[in-house]
């Protein structure tokens, strides 16, 4: 059922977040497993309240093909583990040197840098193991999902985008370079989430292409609204430091507030347009795109 209105969407998002949170708790070894500090570190950032947007995109895409089992939620959990690992690494002193994340001190401030790095690597491994163990996927699609995730993280995905972002620090990249950085650093995991949701749903190549177009536009729009929130958002809502991006160029720096908002609008419109052939079945995905357009957290 499509969530009706803002209250309906909020309730839908909260419900899907709870399903993912419960799955994450189950997918990790319990608190107190040896070595305790590692398991505490793996759970710390991961289980703090995040929006779970990438996992929700995966669930909403598989819903499009009427797949809603617990196995799909585990796949959403795997994508959220990768996202949490990327946040932990991004926050390190050698990268963003952030102080708070999801309303709490960043992991390396709470449990030390070595534990933060090792917990991030352990989360990545747990994510791949979760996809590899998934009973939801047949053998060929399981391999395709693993490949999607590996591609999204690697040199042509999050890591490539991050390295280019770091290389651009202290200078002013042009809009083309900034789009390249963020379509890799942020967009790649949205794409993997949509594609893995499609694989779980048995989507055919044409549908996979539409999902790719949807996620590509949505991911970049999400980053632009992240930049807008970094500029003018309320840290009590976003859970992270305001002005964290001051040392690197953002879409707001390059386009101004109005320009960045217009660009985000165009990208959300393009994401919604990619869903047209799915008709009414894509109502939830359309609502998610509208959430990205207006979000305040
Ligand atoms: C090896 C996984 C891995 C990554 C290494 C550090 C790095 C390369 C990439 C950084 C990727 C990154 C953190 C991009 C920022 C994306 C972004 C907009 C984060 C905020 O996401 P939200 O708002 O956060 O969804 P919550 O807390 O709600 O999940």
């Amino acid at each position: 059922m499509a969530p009706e209105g803002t209250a309906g969407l909020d309730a839908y998002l909260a419900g899907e977040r709870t399903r993912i949170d419960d799955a994450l708790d189950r997918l990790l070894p319990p608190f107190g497993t040896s070595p305790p500090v590692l398991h505490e570190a793996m759970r710390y950032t991961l289980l703090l309240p995040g929006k779970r947007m990438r996992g929700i995109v995966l669930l909403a895409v598989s819903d499009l093909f009427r797949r809603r089992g617990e196995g799909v939620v585990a796949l959403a959990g795997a994508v959220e583990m990768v996202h949490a690992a990327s946040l932990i690494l991004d926050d390190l002193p050698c990268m963003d040197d952030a102080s708070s994340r999801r309303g709490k001190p960043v992991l390396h401030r709470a449990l030390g840098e070595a534990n933060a790095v090792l917990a991030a690597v352990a989360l990545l491994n747990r994510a791949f193991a979760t996809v590899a163990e998934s009973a939801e996927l047949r053998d060929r699609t399981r391999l395709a999902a693993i490949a999607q995730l590996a591609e999204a993280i690697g040199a042509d995905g999050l890591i490539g985008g991050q390295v280019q972002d770091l290389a651009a620090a202290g200078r002013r990249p042009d809009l083309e370079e900034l789009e390249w950085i963020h379509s890799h650093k942020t967009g790649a995991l949205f794409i993997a989430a949509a594609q893995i949701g499609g694989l779980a749903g048995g989507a055919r190549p044409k549908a996979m292409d539409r999902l790719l177009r949807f996620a590509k536009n949505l991911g970049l729009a999400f980053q632009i609204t992240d930049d807008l929130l970094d500029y003018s958002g309320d840290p009590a809502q976003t859970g992270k430091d305001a002005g964290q991006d001051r040392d690197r160029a953002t879409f707001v720096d390059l386009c101004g507030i109005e320009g960045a908002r217009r660009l985000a609008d165009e990208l959300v419109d393009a994401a919604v347009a990619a869903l047209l052939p799915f008709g009414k079945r894509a109502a939830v995905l359309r609502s998610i795109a509208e959430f990205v357009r207006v979000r305040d957290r």
Side-chain angles (χ1 to χ4, degrees):
M1 266 298 276
E4 296 277 344
T6 314
L9 180 64
D10 284 350
Y12 165 80
L13 294 175
E16 296 301 76
R17 257 195 312 270
T18 303
R19 292 176 78 205
I20 295 171
D21 287 348
D22 292 348
L24 288 173
D25 189 42
R26 280 197 307 275
L27 287 166
L28 290 190
F31 224 177
T33 305
S34 192
V37 70
L38 172 63
H39 292 283
E40 185 183 350
M42 285 172 74
R43 286 172 165 269
Y44 183 92
T45 305
L46 180 68
L47 297 185
L48 284 171
K51 291 180 290 298
R52 312 288 182 222
M53 283 311 294
R54 296 143 189 88
I56 291 174
V57 165
L58 189 154
L59 292 178
V61 168
S62 65
D63 259 0
L64 195 60
F65 304 96
R66 301 196 168 71
R67 293 295 291 271
R68 217 179 142 72
E70 280 315 296
V72 184
V73 190
L75 295 173
V79 168
E80 286 295 328
M81 287 182 211
V82 172
H83 173 52
S86 80
L87 296 177
I88 293 166
L89 296 173
D90 193 42
D91 288 339
L92 288 171
C94 58
M95 298 198 215
D96 263 11
D97 196 11
S99 59
S100 61
R101 166 75 67 186
R102 295 181 169 171
K104 288 273 190 253
V106 290
L107 177 56
H108 65 269
R109 291 202 183 189
L111 294 173
E113 253 180 80
N115 287 323
V117 171
L118 294 168
V121 178
L123 283 172
L124 288 178
N125 283 287
R126 191 69 203 105
F128 279 105
T130 300
V131 181
E133 289 158 6
S134 167
E136 199 65 32
L137 302 169
R138 300 214 182 105
D139 284 351
R140 272 220 346 249
T141 45
R142 199 191 342 260
L143 287 180
I146 291 170
Q148 282 284 346
L149 209 51
E151 280 294 313
I153 295 168
D156 202 26
L158 270 69
I159 292 176
Q162 178 76 349
V163 167
Q164 193 61 26
D165 196 16
L166 293 169
R171 64 178 168 82
R172 194 179 164 89
D174 61 18
L175 192 56
E176 191 184 344
E177 184 178 358
L178 199 64
E179 286 188 359
W180 190 94
I181 289 170
H182 293 294
S183 57
H184 288 74
K185 182 174 167 167
T186 302
L189 200 52
F190 277 91
I191 292 173
Q195 301 272 275
I196 294 171
L199 289 169
R204 291 174 186 269
K206 237 188 187 151
M208 289 296 262
D209 284 349
R210 289 174 200 144
L211 293 170
L212 173 66
R213 208 143 38 86
F214 165 75
K216 225 175 174 168
N217 286 294
L218 186 77
L220 199 52
F222 189 87
Q223 179 59 51
I224 296 172
T225 49
D226 191 76
D227 285 356
L228 284 160
L229 287 171
D230 184 69
Y231 189 79
S232 57
D234 173 5
Q237 287 277 357
T238 63
K240 55 187 182 176
D241 320 315
Q244 181 63 40
D245 300 337
R246 63 191 161 275
D247 293 336
R248 56 175 188 81
T250 68
F251 285 95
V252 176
D253 296 329
L254 261 60
C255 311
I257 293 187
E258 283 314 307
R261 208 168 278 294
R262 222 174 11 254
L263 190 50
D265 276 339
E266 284 168 16
L267 289 161
V268 171
D269 290 344
V272 170
L275 300 172
L276 267 176
F278 293 120
K280 283 189 186 151
R281 286 157 63 211
V284 174
L285 285 172
R286 270 196 295 277
S287 301
I288 290 172
E290 292 306 333
F291 167 80
V292 168
R293 195 196 297 272
V294 300
R295 72 194 182 100
D296 62 359
R297 57 189 189 279

